[in-house]
Amino acid sequence: MDKIIEQTDIDRVDGIQKVTGTAKYSAEYDFPGMVYGVLATSNITKGIINAIDTKAAENAPGVLAVITHLNCPELPGYKSTPEQDKLVPTKKGYKVFADNIIRFNGQPIAIVVADTFERATHAASLIKANYTKEKHNTDFDEAIKSGTPLEGNNFKEYVRGEANAWINAPVKIEAEYTMPIEVHLPMEIHGITVVWDGEDKVTLYEKTQSLSGTQRNIVRTFGLKEENVRIITQFIGGAFGSAFNTWPHSMAALIAGRKVGKPIKLMLTRNQMFNLVGYRPEAKQKLGLGASADGKLMGITHEAIAMTASYNEFTEGIVNGSRSLYECPNVNTTYKVFPLDLSQPTWMRGPGETTGAFALESAMDELAYALKMDPIEFRLKNYAETDLERKKPYSSKYLKECYELGAEKINWKERNPEPRSMKEGDWLIGYGTGSGIFSAWRGAAKAVAKLLPDGTMILQSGVTDMGPGTATAMTNLAAETMGLSHTKISFEMGDTNLPPGPMQGGSGTTSTLGTAVFAACENMKKKLAAMIKDNAVFHTEIVHEVKVEDLVFENGYMMLKTDKTKKISYAEVIKSAGLSELEISEDSKGNPMLNHSAFSYAVHFVKVKVHSKTGVIKIDRAVSAVDAGKIINNKTAESQIIGAVVGGIGMSLMEEGVIDHRYGRWVNNNFADYHVAVNADVPNIEVLFVDKPDPVLNPIGAKGMGEVGIVGFAAAVTNAIFHATGKRIREIPVTADKLI
Amino acid sequence: MINFEYIRASSVKAAVDALAKNPTGGFIAGGTNLIDLMKRGVTVPTRLIDINNLPLKEIEESKTGISIGALAINSEVAENELIKNNFPLLSMAFAAGASPQLRNMATVGGNMMQRTRCTYFYDTTMPCNKRQPGTGCGALNGYNRMHAIFGTSEKCIAVHPSDMCVALAALNATVEVSGIKGERKILFTDFHRLPGETPDKDNTLQKGEIITGVTIPFNSFNKNYYLKIRDRASYAFALISVAVALEIKDGIIKKASLAMGGVAHKPWRLTDAEKYLIGRPVDPGHFQKAAYLAMKGAKGYGQNNFKLKMVPIAINEALTKAIA
């Protein structure tokens, strides 16, 4: 497929709002009579609440209500059914204030509502609970040693060809890779503003990546009518997967708001961001790789162990990449998950694949060294031309181009493969690479386009934008498709009163919503053409009726292809038809991809400097080459990859969630102790796109973008550290003390 | 947060009097640490005495040295020409500390008064002898990657988090304080204390005293270096830091002053290493020996065992960088 649209990369449509502070986030809405909710949380890890003393809190100045499990109203969604009662604990979930059971340290035990945030905070500190403690376990190693993994369909072994074939290969490696809990920690702390209108109608300003998902959860829990639950999410200050669930604090705010009958606001603390809105689970992975002497993969065995909460079965595709990234006849994977007495993990950027790629791509580097082969050459030797797992051709695959683009940019050929051979002054120099794969897909979405008599267009969809620039990309797409200046297009989003849009996540938003927007624009053009087919402007002696094929759409005008002086503006068409607007509603069905497999790819190249004495590590260069299909807007796309790489730097060098297992309690749950990369840690990140459209997935040619940007990055860093120092670190984050 | 009274002091005497009248009160200057502590319920002052209006911001030269007012802002001191020219070590230490935003708020006196970043100290549900004497030390057998290896006690293994103080300890500074009983001076190296049996006391300041300034004597150090090893390039406390000030003449070390951060409850002077180096020629072998001598009495507690290996490396590297 050729370029469908001419590229002009418009600036972020909401950029000025964001940098001037006029963009409103969920905790920034104010209403008359606003009250504030603050959570009191448990300081034990497992047990039951025997008694809870709320008197002091209730009597504190400004307090309107204190809600605990003792006085929480019975909600329709809280009633258990006989089927639910039969479920194993990890399938039962946890509902805030539904019972007196403590499942993790820092679990909400009460919400205090007061007239100011400070008074609510103070009153919450006065709540005292009396517990019966039970023995807890938050230690992953201990669970692996003496616990029982979960059972069920999510944990089936995968075997292709012969299991454990790597053992019999002439060249082989086996290694274990570990990574700790990682936390999303977007700059915007999770917040919610709730405005009840009576007992049965509510509006939420909520940080959510899925408006319809949140609406569904609230409808179900409170037994409300769908049309009576409105969710508004105009802006999200980052989420990375932490805003899909309707978390306990949101339910608590809803319960409290209805009880006091006033608009209520609740914002978590930074400390609470570590255990109330999910995290990436800790994992241990064993990789066995074997190849022929000339570097053809003969066997891949990938065994992953991860953790979840005692009340929630969270699973993700940690081992999936190993089944399809390379051509290998014999692959077997296992995946085990152990429950712990911790809060629940959730999706985090590049879920599953990011964890898996750290192990697989480290192991590929180790085997390349064992083979004395260049790591890129080794990967090319095992390039998968078809998806052997699903036995389907790829919709498009430009991974080879990613290797080439990135290697060229970082000057890979100048790399001396010998470990510890390259130096700059006191610094050891290393180059490493790691690849990433992530599913590309297209779901169902609705979009509405309205052309107005003044020639402007409004697009509408109930999607949210957590930062990737969905509004910008959709405006860009519509401008190019419609032949209309982007300044004449506004994109309305973030409201369930709009046509239902897709969730934001899984790298599917552009593919999904873009398809609906593109179709709406195409149909709009057809409709416009039909409206002017008899218009005298276009008539010549031989042409008395124009068809859409005869026209070009440019700059707000329909023009005759053969004679661009014959033209009419969209505005004129709407006006002369006497319409107040011309509306096209597009219901896009999604693409089940029955005959193809679709993936996005990224190849990361990293140059590190390791101080030869102190072990201090610096990322000196980062080059990421990405096949994400057709790029709709280069600026926002580049920003997405930059953001992902910054996350990758944190993951590989500093991020580590730490729990003191004696208490089951977090010990580094703040920004001073849990380190994310700061500007000084981040070099100039160079992003390259193959920018070739996928001809199958959707009509706009775009695949996914945000997730794959972090997948494989951590391995690129640890591989570069090996090249620099000769030390293979299989445990991230890699800190200076591991290198001295 | 519990309600508190807020007043502004107009003179040092008024500040001291205000605290004397309300011993559960406290001074606030930049507030970069105090506000955190109040939010977490670690420090609960009933009265906050704002001292920002006191005339304690000047950096002044005298015949014997330079005095810095307690309310001088960290970033301003770091950039001050007198300081840069006379005490480059101090400028380097400031630049390594915190983040630019914090350095623009934090004062010299406040920097000295900042409390440990030990996680058990900050979490009021956890044991901590420093926050609540008698409850035990959570870090001793817990999360102690950042903790001390020198001068510890079974009661507390926390470290002092400052970079500035490490340089001031190496530069033989003196602290000036004022109290109800009048003014007095404290050697900088005597200002902070080791935990011993009373880790709740960070320093030797008496009840009701206020820091008014710091004086640094002129020196003949012609080689200075501040090395900070940390888990990220900015906005991170030191795993280990080393302040080196040397006077070298004709290849011989005439004077040596060394101090470390991130290893003890106070800025840790390396007196044995200093004694060894003085009078000896500049030589890598002597640096190594000095680093070895500095390790006397070092003790690891598990997660911080790497410091036993990293400290000599850091001392050696700082000395090497200083003479480069």
Side-chain angles (χ1 to χ4, degrees):
Chain A
M1 193 194 294
D2 288 331
K3 278 195 171 183
I4 308 164
I5 53 172
E6 282 301 315
Q7 196 77 37
T8 56
D9 299 316
I10 65 170
D11 290 341
R12 205 173 267 269
V13 295
D14 45 19
I16 288 173
Q17 281 171 282
K18 285 183 173 174
V19 299
T20 56
T22 53
K24 264 193 171 182
Y25 295 84
S26 296
E28 295 186 314
Y29 289 86
D30 279 311
F31 296 94
M34 182 72 94
V35 296
Y36 300 82
V38 168
L39 299 172
T41 58
S42 77
N43 55 19
I44 71 156
T45 301
K46 190 177 180 182
I48 53 169
I49 306 170
N50 293 323
I52 185 160
D53 183 358
T54 57
K55 282 239 163 54
E58 281 158 11
N59 292 333
V63 172
L64 281 77
V66 179
I67 296 160
T68 69
H69 67 282
L70 294 172
N71 61 349
C72 179
E74 174 93 356
L75 299 171
Y78 276 25
K79 285 186 190 120
S80 68
T81 62
E83 291 78 38
Q84 281 169 336
D85 288 341
K86 275 184 237 152
L87 293 172
V88 294
T90 46
K91 300 255 190 199
K92 274 187 179 156
Y94 145 64
K95 297 178 181 72
V96 69
F97 308 143
D99 55 39
N100 65 346
I101 300 168
I102 299 298
R103 297 161 175 87
F104 60 93
N105 209 312
Q107 178 183 315
I109 56 170
I111 179 171
V112 176
V113 183
D115 57 353
T116 70
F117 169 71
E118 289 77 10
R119 285 173 151 181
T121 301
H122 173 58
S125 75
L126 303 175
I127 289 175
K128 298 280 174 275
N130 175 288
Y131 305 97
T132 299
K133 278 192 205 176
E134 289 169 34
K135 192 172 177 293
H136 66 258
N137 180 35
T138 57
D139 186 346
F140 186 42
D141 290 327
E142 184 57 40
I144 294 169
K145 220 186 317 165
S146 55
T148 314
L150 303 183
E151 290 172 4
N153 286 339
N154 289 328
F155 309 103
K156 277 188 187 152
E157 189 177 0
Y158 168 84
V159 182
R160 178 164 86 226
E162 189 192 328
N164 303 319
W166 68 274
I167 294 170
N168 299 318
V171 186
K172 61 193 172 184
I173 62 107
E174 188 184 26
E176 189 175 282
Y177 304 90
T178 65
M179 55 174 282
I181 283 177
E182 245 199 309
V183 193
H184 308 74
L185 299 178
M187 284 307 293
E188 183 206 9
I189 286 176
H190 284 241
I192 183 169
T193 305
V194 180
V195 186
W196 282 95
D197 179 2
E199 295 257 306
D200 303 315
K201 199 172 173 195
V202 69
T203 302
L204 270 71
Y205 302 82
E206 163 76 315
K207 176 168 182 156
T208 177
Q209 290 171 247
S210 173
L211 292 170
S212 52
T214 299
Q215 186 185 42
R216 218 164 29 242
N217 288 340
I218 302 212
V219 163
R220 200 186 300 140
T221 305
F222 288 85
L224 303 174
K225 288 181 185 151
E226 189 180 293
E227 63 267 29
N228 285 346
V229 178
R230 184 179 177 193
I231 320 288
I232 294 173
T233 311
Q234 289 293 328
F235 291 96
I236 297 177
F240 316 118
S242 68
F244 280 117
N245 303 48
T246 307
W247 295 105
H249 71 272
S250 298
M251 286 301 179
L254 275 151
I255 293 166
R258 186 154 75 166
K259 172 142 183 168
V260 299
K262 287 171 186 286
I264 184 170
K265 189 184 286 193
L266 185 149
M267 201 169 162
L268 294 182
T269 63
R270 182 57 72 184
N271 304 75
Q272 289 169 342
M273 289 290 286
F274 286 75
N275 70 342
L276 291 182
V277 291
Y279 54 84
R280 192 197 299 282
E282 190 172 355
K284 283 183 196 298
Q285 304 175 72
K286 205 188 262 181
L287 260 289
L289 293 188
S292 60
D294 64 346
K296 197 77 197 75
L297 276 170
M298 293 169 69
I300 299 175
T301 299
H302 187 165
E303 298 167 342
I305 307 175
M307 38 76 67
T308 189
S310 63
Y311 59 88
N312 176 273
E313 179 180 310
F314 176 75
T315 61
E316 55 182 356
I318 295 180
V319 292
N320 295 5
S322 292
R323 300 172 189 163
S324 56
L325 186 54
Y326 298 107
E327 186 179 75
C328 182
N330 306 304
V331 178
N332 60 310
T333 65
T334 62
Y335 175 49
K336 285 183 188 159
V337 169
F338 288 87
L340 293 172
D341 297 315
L342 287 172
S343 64
Q344 71 175 85
T346 193
W347 314 111
M348 181 164 162
R349 203 163 198 174
E353 301 287 5
T354 301
T355 304
F358 164 56
L360 175 65
E361 289 295 283
S362 297
M364 285 295 284
D365 199 67
E366 297 205 38
L367 188 54
Y369 269 96
L371 286 159
K372 298 188 169 55
M373 264 180 99
D374 178 84
I376 291 292
E377 194 191 318
F378 176 46
R379 285 171 172 82
L380 285 168
K381 178 106 183 177
N382 295 286
Y383 198 79
E385 296 290 355
T386 58
D387 179 357
L388 292 181
E389 183 190 1
R390 294 166 193 82
K391 299 185 178 63
K392 287 181 192 174
Y394 294 114
S395 58
S396 68
K397 180 174 180 177
Y398 298 106
L399 176 58
K400 221 171 242 173
E401 286 79 352
C402 293
Y403 292 134
E404 284 161 9
L405 282 172
E408 171 75 24
K409 187 82 180 172
I410 202 148
N411 209 5
W412 185 258
K413 64 178 190 301
E414 294 299 316
R415 167 187 186 264
N416 177 348
E418 187 63 33
R420 220 181 168 90
S421 63
M422 302 179 77
K423 276 185 188 169
E424 288 175 14
D426 287 343
W427 299 86
L428 304 168
I429 303 298
Y431 290 85
T433 187
S435 316
I437 181 171
F438 204 86
S439 286
W441 55 279
R442 181 183 123 200
K446 202 165 178 177
V448 166
K450 293 176 183 177
L451 205 48
L452 305 183
D454 63 359
T456 60
M457 192 163 93
I458 298 168
L459 291 171
Q460 294 178 322
S461 173
V463 68
T464 64
D465 183 357
M466 61 175 160
T470 298
T472 308
M474 293 305 122
T475 304
N476 215 145
L477 181 65
E480 302 295 352
T481 313
M482 274 308 295
L484 191 62
S485 164
H486 67 87
T487 58
K488 300 207 165 173
I489 299 172
S490 55
F491 185 63
E492 295 176 356
M493 59 187 287
D495 191 335
T496 46
N497 281 359
L498 295 168
M503 67 169 187
Q504 173 133 89
S507 283
T509 312
T510 300
S511 166
T512 297
L513 185 58
T515 300
V517 167
F518 178 76
C521 292
E522 287 294 319
N523 286 337
M524 177 76 79
K525 289 198 289 193
K526 280 183 201 151
K527 191 103 173 225
L528 284 171
M531 287 167 74
I532 53 92
K533 67 182 162 63
D534 300 324
N535 195 300
V537 171
F538 297 109
H539 290 179
T540 65
E541 286 171 16
I542 44 169
V543 178
H544 296 284
E545 188 181 315
V546 287
K547 300 192 176 72
V548 69
E549 299 83 32
D550 304 324
L551 299 167
V552 284
F553 293 76
E554 268 178 33
N555 210 14
Y557 286 86
M558 286 179 281
M559 306 168 179
L560 206 55
K561 265 183 191 163
T562 50
D563 179 2
K564 285 193 176 177
T565 63
K566 294 186 186 308
K567 61 177 184 180
I568 184 166
S569 72
Y570 310 159
E572 185 59 35
V573 178
I574 311 286
K575 262 187 278 186
S576 53
L579 296 175
S580 61
E581 63 181 34
L582 178 61
E583 179 178 316
I584 301 285
S585 178
E586 195 59 45
D587 220 340
S588 160
K589 295 289 178 225
N591 184 349
M593 296 293 282
L594 298 174
N595 302 317
H596 291 84
S597 283
F599 293 98
S600 290
Y601 298 92
V603 181
H604 306 285
F605 291 86
V606 169
K607 179 190 174 193
V608 299
K609 294 166 86 168
V610 180
H611 196 275
S612 56
K613 291 174 193 148
T614 61
V616 168
I617 308 157
K618 285 182 183 171
I619 309 273
D620 196 52
R621 280 187 77 187
V623 173
S624 294
V626 180
D627 166 23
K630 168 82 196 139
I631 303 303
I632 304 299
N633 181 295
N634 266 298
K635 290 182 188 174
T636 53
E638 188 185 14
S639 292
Q640 277 242 71
I641 300 299
I642 290 171
V645 167
V646 172
I649 293 172
M651 177 183 175
S652 50
L653 298 184
M654 51 199 91
E655 295 190 44
E656 179 173 15
V658 184
I659 288 143
D660 186 328
H661 301 306
R662 296 172 300 173
Y663 310 103
R665 200 165 166 87
W666 275 82
V667 289
N668 66 342
N669 50 348
N670 61 76
F671 268 151
D673 294 318
Y674 182 99
H675 286 176
V676 297
V678 296
N679 277 332
D681 299 299
V682 179
N684 180 35
I685 295 163
E686 299 160 87
V687 181
L688 305 159
F689 292 116
V690 177
D691 197 10
K692 287 189 180 164
D694 185 293
V696 180
L697 186 61
N698 57 49
I700 62 171
K703 295 197 275 189
M705 170 72 64
E707 313 272 15
V708 80
I710 191 173
V711 183
F713 189 85
V717 174
T718 52
N719 293 341
I721 290 170
F722 172 73
H723 179 229
T725 64
K727 282 188 185 166
R728 179 68 70 179
I729 308 295
R730 301 186 181 89
E731 180 189 26
I732 49 172
V734 189
T735 43
D737 52 291
K738 293 176 184 171
L739 293 173
I740 57 166
Chain B
M1 198 185 280
I2 290 166
N3 271 332
F4 56 86
E5 206 186 354
Y6 170 87
I7 59 165
R8 263 185 212 156
S10 53
S11 69
V12 171
K13 189 179 178 304
V16 170
D17 288 347
L19 190 62
K21 273 187 221 140
N22 189 340
T24 53
F27 299 125
I28 182 165
T32 58
N33 188 202
L34 182 62
I35 301 297
D36 280 352
L37 293 164
M38 288 172 69
K39 277 187 185 171
R40 298 294 299 271
V42 177
T43 303
V44 191
T46 52
R47 168 186 280 188
L48 274 190
I49 304 156
D50 188 333
I51 56 170
N52 283 297
N53 287 343
L54 305 190
L56 300 172
K57 295 189 173 74
E58 299 302 313
I59 300 171
E60 284 165 340
E61 188 173 0
S62 74
K63 272 183 191 161
T64 53
I66 291 171
S67 64
I68 306 169
L71 290 171
I73 300 296
N74 283 191
S75 53
E76 286 170 11
V77 183
E79 289 303 315
N80 183 280
E81 289 301 319
L82 279 175
I83 300 297
K84 280 202 288 191
N85 293 335
N86 291 290
F87 313 115
L89 182 67
L90 183 58
S91 283
M92 280 190 256
F94 272 124
S99 68
Q101 296 89 333
L102 289 165
R103 297 199 292 269
N104 284 338
M105 286 298 289
T107 62
V108 167
N111 192 319
M112 292 165 60
M113 294 301 290
Q114 65 179 308
R115 318 247 13 220
T116 183
R117 303 301 304 203
C118 176
T119 185
Y120 300 93
F121 176 69
Y122 266 81
D123 185 339
T124 54
T125 74
M126 297 272 211
C128 174
N129 288 324
K130 182 180 277 298
R131 177 175 30 79
Q132 207 177 339
T135 53
C137 173
L140 202 60
N141 298 305
Y143 179 58
N144 55 33
R145 173 176 160 75
M146 302 297 291
H147 288 67
I149 57 169
F150 293 116
T152 54
S153 76
E154 290 298 298
K155 292 275 174 15
C156 180
I157 59 169
V159 296
H160 193 262
S162 170
D163 289 296
M164 176 198 83
C165 293
V166 179
L168 288 175
L171 293 170
N172 303 310
T174 304
V175 185
E176 283 129 26
V177 305
S178 187
I180 294 287
K181 294 176 196 158
E183 296 174 356
R184 67 181 181 116
K185 293 183 196 301
I186 309 167
L187 277 181
F188 199 90
T189 45
D190 292 337
F191 182 81
H192 296 100
R193 56 185 297 284
L194 292 176
E197 291 298 303
T198 50
D200 52 312
K201 292 187 174 67
D202 289 353
N203 53 55
T204 53
L205 212 55
Q206 298 297 310
K207 263 214 160 77
E209 282 183 326
I210 186 170
I211 303 168
T212 53
V214 176
T215 299
I216 314 171
F218 289 126
N219 60 55
S220 51
F221 299 129
N222 54 3
K223 300 287 178 189
N224 298 275
Y225 197 75
Y226 190 77
L227 175 75
K228 182 173 178 180
I229 300 176
R230 47 185 153 179
D231 280 333
R232 66 178 163 195
S234 175
Y235 188 42
F237 295 99
L239 292 171
I240 293 167
S241 68
V242 187
V244 173
L246 301 171
E247 182 194 343
I248 294 172
K249 208 174 166 190
D250 305 326
I252 303 293
I253 301 167
K254 295 282 178 191
K255 280 183 185 160
S257 189
L258 278 70
M260 296 190 76
V263 295
H265 197 261
K266 61 182 286 188
W268 190 250
R269 274 288 287 263
L270 311 182
T271 42
D272 289 345
E274 290 168 7
K275 270 184 210 149
Y276 177 81
L277 287 170
I278 292 166
R280 291 182 198 272
V282 173
D283 175 79
H286 291 314
F287 289 175
Q288 263 179 22
K289 183 74 198 277
Y292 168 79
L293 290 172
M295 294 306 291
K296 204 174 107 187
K299 185 181 175 195
Y301 290 88
Q303 294 175 352
N304 69 348
N305 285 353
F306 72 92
K307 291 189 181 183
L308 301 175
K309 192 173 176 190
M310 196 182 258
V311 163
I313 293 173
I315 294 169
N316 210 340
E317 176 67 8
L319 285 164
T320 308
K321 276 275 163 11
I323 58 151

